[in-house]
Amino acid sequence: MTKGLALWEAYREFESAIVEAARLEKVHSLFRRQLAIPLYDMEATFAEYEEWSEDPIPESVIQSYNKALQQLEKYKPYEEALLQAEAPRLAEYQAYIDFEMKVGDPARIQLIFERALVENCLVPDLWIRYSQYLDRQLKVKDLVLSVHNRAVRNCPWTVALWSRYLLAMERYEVDHQKISATFEKALNAGFIQATDYVEIWQAYLDYLRRRVDFQQDSSKELEELRSTFTRALEYLKQEVEERFNESGDPSCVIMQNWARIEARLCNNMQKARELWDSIMTKGNAKYANMWLEYYNLERAHGDTQHCRKALHRAVQCTSDYPEHVCEVLLTMERTEGTLEDWDIAVQKTETRLARVNEQRIKAAEKEAALAQQEEEKAEHRKKARAEKKALKKKKKIRGGDKHRADEDDEKEWGDDEEEQPSKRRRVENSVPPADEARGIGMEAELAGKRAPVHVDPPAKQKAKAASLKRDMAKVPHDSSKDSITVFVSNLPYSMEEPDVKLRPLFETCGDVAEIRPIFSNRGDFRGYCYVEFKDEKSALQALELDRKNVEGRPMFVSPCVDKSKNPDFKVFRYSTALEKHKLFISGLPFSCTKEELEEICKAHGTVKDLRLVTNRAGKPKGLAYVEYENESQASQAVMKMDGMTIKENVIRVAISNPPQRKVPEKPEARKAPGGPMVPRQIYGARGKGRTQLSLLPRALQRPSTAAPQTENGPAPRPAVATSAATEAPKMSNADFAKLLLRK
């Protein structure tokens, strides 16, 4: 639409330059053809035709012109979107293609695909869609094969394009040698996954199988098929496993297909059984579905004896669903077996199921024992902390500072009550009603009037007020209500009357039965609370309020789960695996808002979700995650946005693939074989500081003696040092005092 006008004008100028009368009709024809096509500036062309033509314009030409104008109005939004967007404009081209596919004009569909591929030739999905349209709609041999060839040349790493190319070549009866050569090119294309090689081998083997005439016992095509199966298995074992360190075909799909061909098409059950034996020896004997697949093949093309034998082996080897295999064996013996066969089957299945149940009971007992050990360890740690606090208190009392000891005890007791949100403390403090608090205050005021002799200082009055708040009744959390309760944390410590301020927020999710904020032993709000609803549906809906901003901080809302009974429970709701449609952006300025970043990202595709990473206080960390509609849009955004400058900050953009968390090293791993346990060095949160000095006196720091030299270099050190050379002389406290006083 945007370039066509220049072509038509050049054509008409060429024809008009020839003054022969016979050419006049040719120019009329060009005007009429041009006016029937929707192009920009059609009105100027129509006015030029009226001025050039001596005769009135025919009514049929005017009708075609008006129809083209109507079509132009439909196409204009898509063309204008392309003009306004920046390259590669994949999303705009996709929308334009969808529109043209609905209209259904083959020439225009082919044209818009070609225009899109000029700027997006490295997008495999676009090539797949184009080739699929040509395969199913146009079906023009030269055009189809040409597009397939260009597709694999531009995106050789995409196995789907090679598979479609092989199918197209077979569909249009291309020479076998060319198809084989194309397959060899595919093997050398460098796919990025081991499974891709399995897929291309399957496509080529399917092609070879369709070439075979199985009416003949032996033929050249059948021998080629069998030799290719053998080559495929060797290739996957030697090339793919060495390169990717994985099989790529753990279920042995290629061997299963070979076994089916031998059994069903070649009537060669002996070869099929050999293949299945090989499949089972590759670690598949423990899966019930593999044995049932083999059993179904024997039922269809084998005999009852081999079916029974396969099921007996399955009963002994299956570990995932042994009950299902046992049921299939009993069903077969019930319909086909003798009484002796039935007795043997019942005995084997009962023995196997008894052993399986015994193993499951042992596993459950072991798990329960581990859980009990964890509970005992937690209880032991709790007692040790309590004893340590009591000992510390006694020491301070003996020192004569009893008042400070009481305050420290209150502080430690309160700090001990505050734990991570995931630990779900079972003991909470509840605030008394306002009337009761007012009554306490009035009573204290009257008491003060009756005893004017002694007035407490302001500090002591404040301590008494805090003591009144600490003495409020403690209500234990009912674990039976976990399903209708949510745990709310990361609230501001300065929040006054949390239950009153949070109630309107949570009542939007349903009827709130109670809000229980947690206070310290000194009456300070601890920043978290329990919200109990009247039904489970409201509690589930309340989880959607997670990360909602409350008084400048993101509020964390999570299920109420006892961490001691569910140690594997995790509240983190974001994926930590590779997500090809999601981007990770770093280096953002702290002043960048979600709306500003979303406006930038929208230029490269449809943004489904955008999340700015913040700390617990709600402050931005300069990081963000952006989720696009598909992988193609994400890959285009990476290429366009990586290295972009936003508010003088150069950002980094990559596909979201968080690193795996390091598993803490077990003590057994640090123990040297045959040697003592090596203690693990403990540093602070920032690692080993540069100011950590050795506290060993310099007089005891013996410099390492240099090794004696020989003609050929340093003399070898003795294997075992004497005790006099390795042990430092024992010194008393008096000796250390002399060293320090330099006596």
Side-chain angles (χ1 to χ4, degrees):
M1 288 176 58
T2 56
K3 309 288 185 181
L5 183 65
L7 294 174
W8 284 101
E9 287 181 349
Y11 196 0
R12 285 189 285 102
E13 287 177 4
F14 166 72
E15 293 292 347
S16 300
I18 304 175
V19 194
E20 297 179 8
R23 293 288 179 178
L24 292 177
E25 186 60 31
K26 185 73 173 179
V27 176
H28 277 287
S29 175
L30 286 177
F31 268 115
R32 294 166 186 169
R33 288 168 57 191
Q34 180 180 351
L35 292 174
I37 299 174
L39 297 171
Y40 273 27
D41 296 332
M42 291 185 64
E43 296 83 355
T45 305
F46 186 79
E48 182 182 353
Y49 186 31
E50 286 183 324
E51 182 180 354
W52 181 84
S53 178
E54 298 177 355
D55 300 328
I57 299 177
E59 185 65 26
S60 60
V61 176
I62 297 176
Q63 291 179 358
S64 300
Y65 167 70
N66 291 330
K67 185 178 179 181
L69 280 178
Q70 294 176 359
Q71 292 178 348
L72 178 64
E73 294 302 320
K74 295 179 181 178
Y75 289 118
K76 259 187 178 180
Y78 300 99
E79 292 288 349
E80 290 175 355
L82 288 174
L83 292 173
Q84 295 173 3
E86 295 182 1
R89 301 177 284 200
L90 179 61
E92 290 77 13
Y93 276 120
Q94 293 280 16
Y96 206 164
I97 290 171
D98 293 337
F99 173 74
E100 291 287 10
M101 294 282 277
K102 290 179 182 178
V103 176
D105 187 351
R108 295 193 64 89
I109 293 173
Q110 183 184 351
L111 176 62
I112 190 60
F113 268 117
E114 293 291 347
R115 289 175 62 187
L117 287 170
V118 169
E119 299 181 9
N120 299 276
C121 61
L122 300 180
V123 180
D125 292 341
L126 193 58
W127 284 108
I128 290 175
R129 189 176 183 186
Y130 187 22
S131 61
Q132 182 177 332
Y133 169 75
L134 295 178
D135 288 335
R136 298 178 181 178
Q137 303 295 329
L138 289 187
K139 299 181 180 180
V140 179
K141 177 180 177 180
D142 294 336
L143 178 60
V144 170
L145 294 180
S146 173
V147 170
H148 277 292
N149 188 20
R150 290 162 53 202
V152 298
R153 191 170 67 246
N154 283 277
C155 304
W157 61 86
T158 307
V159 68
L161 294 175
W162 289 100
S163 300
R164 291 174 176 273
Y165 193 12
L166 292 177
L167 288 173
M169 295 177 77
E170 181 186 2
R171 190 177 295 116
Y172 292 105
E173 299 180 352
V174 178
D175 184 63
H176 174 61
Q177 298 297 330
K178 291 184 179 180
I179 296 179
S180 299
T182 303
F183 169 70
E184 296 297 335
K185 288 182 181 179
L187 286 182
N188 297 322
F191 300 131
I192 58 178
Q193 294 180 351
T195 53
D196 292 344
Y197 287 93
V198 178
E199 183 178 345
I200 194 64
W201 273 108
Q202 280 185 299
Y204 186 57
L205 289 167
D206 292 343
Y207 157 70
L208 294 179
R209 193 266 307 165
R210 288 189 285 266
R211 294 181 68 242
V212 178
D213 182 9
F214 290 100
Q215 301 298 328
Q216 303 177 5
D217 294 337
S218 179
S219 63
K220 180 181 177 182
E221 289 80 7
L222 180 58
E223 293 301 324
E224 183 180 3
L225 175 62
R226 286 172 172 165
S227 63
T228 306
F229 266 115
T230 305
R231 182 191 167 200
L233 298 177
E234 292 178 355
Y235 185 91
L236 293 176
K237 181 178 180 181
Q238 296 177 2
E239 301 290 338
V240 177
E241 290 187 15
E242 290 180 2
R243 177 180 173 187
F244 295 96
N245 293 324
E246 60 178 285
S247 171
D249 190 13
S251 299
C252 301
V253 176
I254 290 180
M255 293 182 71
Q256 289 188 46
N257 291 337
W258 191 3
R260 294 190 192 100
I261 291 173
E262 293 289 350
R264 297 176 182 175
L265 302 177
C266 301
N267 298 321
N268 188 358
M269 278 303 299
Q270 181 179 356
K271 180 63 177 177
R273 292 178 185 126
E274 291 176 0
L275 291 169
W276 269 104
D277 287 339
S278 179
I279 292 172
M280 293 304 181
T281 57
K282 293 184 180 296
N284 293 298
K286 59 184 177 181
Y287 301 118
N289 64 325
M290 300 297 288
W291 283 109
L292 295 179
E293 185 72 24
Y294 178 33
Y295 165 73
N296 291 330
L297 189 67
E298 285 285 358
R299 290 286 291 179
H301 306 284
D303 50 45
T304 305
Q305 179 181 357
H306 283 89
C307 289
R308 184 176 291 111
K309 182 179 178 181
L311 289 177
H312 282 189
R313 291 173 59 191
V315 168
Q316 297 298 325
C317 300
T318 303
S319 59
D320 54 351
Y321 299 106
E323 296 89 350
H324 189 37
V325 175
C326 293
E327 183 181 353
V328 174
L329 174 59
L330 294 176
T331 302
M332 189 193 78
E333 298 297 0
R334 182 178 284 112
T335 56
E336 299 181 20
T338 62
L339 178 60
E340 182 181 359
D341 295 332
W342 171 260
D343 291 338
I344 294 174
V346 170
Q347 181 180 356
K348 283 195 172 186
T349 54
E350 288 179 351
T351 304
R352 175 59 177 162
L353 292 178
R355 192 184 310 146
V356 169
N357 290 331
E358 183 180 352
Q359 292 173 353
R360 290 173 179 173
I361 292 173
K362 287 183 179 179
E365 291 176 351
K366 185 177 180 181
E367 186 176 353
L370 290 175
Q372 186 176 359
Q373 288 179 5
E374 290 295 328
E375 291 181 1
E376 291 176 356
K377 289 180 181 179
E379 189 67 25
H380 179 70
R381 288 193 295 268
K382 188 176 180 181
K383 289 181 179 179
R385 285 197 300 269
E387 292 174 358
K388 186 177 179 181
K389 292 172 188 174
L391 183 62
K392 190 175 181 181
K393 180 181 176 182
K394 287 180 181 179
K395 288 182 179 179
K396 290 188 177 182
I397 292 175
R398 289 174 187 171
D401 198 355
K402 186 176 185 302
H403 181 68
R404 189 188 302 171
D406 291 338
E407 290 183 353
D408 290 345
D409 182 58
E410 289 175 1
K411 181 179 179 181
E412 289 177 0
W413 197 90
D415 290 343
D416 203 27
E417 189 177 19
E418 180 187 10
E419 295 190 4
Q420 296 295 332
S422 60
K423 292 187 178 179
R424 302 288 184 268
R425 293 292 295 176
R426 292 295 183 183
V427 181
E428 308 150 28
N429 296 333
S430 61
V431 182
D435 296 339
E436 184 180 343
R438 200 180 304 116
I440 294 173
M442 292 175 64
E443 188 175 344
E445 184 179 354
L446 291 174
K449 289 181 179 180
R450 287 195 301 267
V453 180
H454 176 70
V455 179
D456 292 332
K460 197 164 185 179
Q461 290 178 358
K462 187 175 181 181
K464 282 187 176 181
S467 177
L468 287 174
K469 205 169 187 180
R470 287 198 305 272
D471 292 339
M472 296 170 186
K474 298 178 182 179
V475 181
H477 173 65
D478 187 0
S479 60
S480 63
K481 296 182 179 181
D482 282 350
S483 60
I484 59 173
T485 306
V486 295
F487 185 79
V488 183
S489 60
N490 203 43
L491 296 169
Y493 292 162
S494 59
M495 179 181 288
E496 297 180 357
E497 298 183 350
D499 53 339
V500 177
K501 291 187 177 181
L502 294 176
R503 183 173 290 274
L505 179 62
F506 285 97
E507 281 182 347
T508 59
C509 304
D511 295 335
V512 177
E514 184 183 8
I515 297 180
R516 298 191 299 278
I518 307 302
F519 294 91
S520 71
N521 217 30
R522 292 175 292 178
D524 299 327
F525 179 48
R526 308 302 291 179
Y528 56 96
C529 64
Y530 292 85
V531 180
E532 181 182 327
F533 292 89
K534 293 184 178 180
D535 54 21
E536 187 174 351
K537 183 179 179 181
S538 301
L540 294 175
Q541 189 174 352
L543 297 177
E544 298 179 0
L545 297 176
D546 186 37
R547 309 282 172 170
K548 184 175 180 61
N549 192 283
V550 175
E551 295 190 4
R553 291 176 67 91
M555 175 181 66
F556 298 163
V557 184
S558 56
C560 189
V561 177
D562 188 357
K563 192 69 174 179
S564 62
K565 296 182 180 179
N566 299 275
D568 297 331
F569 176 77
K570 294 181 180 179
V571 184
F572 194 71
R573 57 182 180 143
Y574 301 110
S575 174
T576 57
L578 172 64
E579 296 177 282
K580 297 183 180 180
H581 64 289
K582 187 179 290 186
L583 303 184
F584 173 69
I585 304 178
S586 60
L588 290 168
F590 294 156
S591 60
C592 181
T593 63
K594 181 178 180 180
E595 291 74 17
E596 292 174 348
L597 182 59
E598 186 175 4
E599 191 66 28
I600 295 173
C601 296
K602 276 184 178 179
H604 309 289
T606 305
V607 177
K608 294 181 64 178
D609 187 29
L610 189 148
R611 176 169 62 94
L612 290 177
V613 182
T614 61
N615 57 16
R616 295 181 68 87
K619 304 298 181 182
K621 299 174 70 175
L623 308 175
Y625 288 91
V626 182
E627 181 180 353
Y628 279 94
E629 193 171 27
N630 52 49
E631 300 176 14
S632 299
Q633 295 181 3
S635 61
Q636 292 293 326
V638 169
M639 291 188 291
K640 289 295 179 182
M641 295 176 59
D642 188 32
M644 179 186 291
T645 302
I646 299 179
K647 296 182 180 180
E648 299 182 356
N649 281 39
V650 179
I651 64 173
R652 292 288 176 263
V653 184
I655 298 296
S656 176
N657 187 16
Q660 296 293 329
R661 289 196 173 186
K662 295 182 179 179
V663 180
E665 186 180 3
K666 296 183 179 179
E668 292 80 0
R670 299 194 302 269
K671 185 174 181 181
M677 179 76 74
V678 181
R680 179 172 64 88
Q681 181 66 46
I682 300 176
Y683 301 122
R686 300 189 180 184
K688 184 176 181 181
R690 290 179 292 175
T691 59
Q692 291 183 357
L693 305 176
S694 174
L695 299 180
L696 186 67
R698 293 180 180 176
L700 298 180
Q701 294 179 358
R702 297 183 290 104
S704 58
T705 57
Q709 297 288 329
T710 63
E711 290 183 2
N712 297 327
R717 297 180 182 270
V720 180
T722 61
S723 60
T726 57
E727 296 183 2
K730 295 183 179 178
M731 303 181 70
S732 63
N733 291 339
D735 295 331
F736 275 105
K738 290 179 181 179
L739 287 172
L740 293 173
L741 298 175
R742 297 178 182 269
K743 290 184 178 181

